[in-house]
């Protein structure tokens, strides 16, 4: 009798673990990974990021503080990769893979940062000495609220759109 009871208990426990594991695997992450790819002139561009949502939060100046380096997404730092040397906002950026950061401002221009250390969690270990390029960018107001952070590559560069702000970065 004890053997049957132990076997039944183990089967129930195994089924419970299996169901719980399945439920955890199917849950959508709060900031799902996303990738934007495109071609600008003859350079292949790839931006890999995690896409948080606004969720009725105050984003700029609160969730994302002004005047501080920000990973330009969620989780790991956003990465920017170019297959060829390019010009960003009029300044040279060699081919390679970089972490991409922004420094948001309450008004005026923001700073876009391409950092040589492409594998970083957030901006916690960011080192300015590793910056390959820093450029100023002028933000634009979006015509409608963008709930999930979104990168788009176009013939003139790329944009990071989130909440009520678009950050266009010119590439040639």
């Amino acid at each position: 009798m004890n053997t049957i009871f132990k076997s039944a208990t183990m089967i129930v426990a195994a089924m419970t673990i299996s169901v719980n594991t399945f439920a955890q695997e199917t849950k959508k992450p709060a900031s799902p990974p996303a990738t934007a790819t495109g071609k600008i002139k003859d350079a292949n561009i790839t931006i890999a990021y995690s896409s948080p949502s606004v969720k009725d939060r105050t984003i700029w100046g609160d969730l994302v503080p002004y005047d501080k380096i920000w990973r330009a997404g969620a989780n790991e730092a956003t990465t920017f990769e170019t297959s060829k040397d390019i010009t960003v906002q009029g300044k040279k950026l060699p081919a390679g893979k970089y972490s991409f950061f922004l420094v948001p401002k309450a008004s005026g221009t923001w700073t876009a940062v391409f950092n040589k250390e492409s594998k970083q969690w957030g901006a916690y270990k960011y080192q300015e000495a590793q910056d390959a390029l820093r450029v100023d960018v002028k933000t634009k107001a979006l015509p409608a609220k963008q709930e999930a952070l979104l990168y788009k590559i176009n013939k003139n560069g790329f944009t990071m759109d989130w909440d009520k702000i678009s950050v266009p970065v010119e590439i040639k």
Side-chain angles (χ1 to χ4, degrees):
M1 185 90 169
N2 255 353
T3 305
I4 294 172
F5 180 73
K6 285 181 182 176
S7 296
T9 302
M10 289 186 68
I11 290 170
V12 169
M15 289 173 57
T16 303
I17 290 168
S18 296
V19 168
N20 285 340
T21 302
F22 179 75
Q24 288 175 357
E25 289 175 5
T26 59
K27 184 179 177 186
K28 183 180 175 189
S31 301
T35 305
T37 58
K39 199 166 190 143
I40 301 173
K41 304 236 183 247
D42 58 347
N44 294 316
I45 306 293
T46 303
I47 302 171
Y49 62 102
S50 290
S51 177
S53 293
V54 174
K55 298 180 188 171
D56 294 323
R57 299 178 290 184
T58 301
I59 302 303
W60 308 114
D62 189 22
L63 181 67
V64 178
Y66 291 127
D67 303 312
K68 292 193 180 191
I69 199 85
W70 172 57
R71 61 185 147 198
N75 304 325
E76 289 185 39
T78 296
T79 59
F80 176 93
E81 188 169 6
T82 175
S83 64
K84 305 268 185 184
D85 294 356
I86 56 175
T87 303
V88 180
Q89 300 289 129
K91 295 182 180 179
K92 297 277 186 196
L93 182 68
K97 187 173 185 176
Y98 304 90
S99 287
F100 177 72
F101 298 100
L102 288 167
V103 179
K105 308 275 184 181
S107 61
T109 59
W110 289 19
T111 303
V113 178
F114 297 83
N115 187 272
K116 295 174 194 170
E117 182 56 54
S118 64
K119 288 211 165 272
Q120 304 186 49
W121 181 262
Y124 302 106
K125 293 186 178 183
Y126 164 80
Q127 294 179 4
E128 188 172 340
Q130 291 296 312
D131 289 351
L133 180 65
R134 282 179 158 245
V135 294
D136 290 333
V137 292
K138 292 181 181 177
T139 62
K140 296 180 179 178
L142 288 169
K145 181 177 169 182
Q146 174 66 42
E147 178 64 26
L149 185 144
L150 179 66
Y151 280 88
K152 293 186 256 181
I153 297 172
N154 59 57
K155 65 179 181 166
N156 299 318
F158 68 92
T159 60
M160 189 279 313
D161 297 343
W162 195 29
D163 192 22
K164 301 170 189 163
I165 301 249
S166 179
V167 182
V169 179
E170 180 187 85
I171 296 177
K172 291 184 179 178

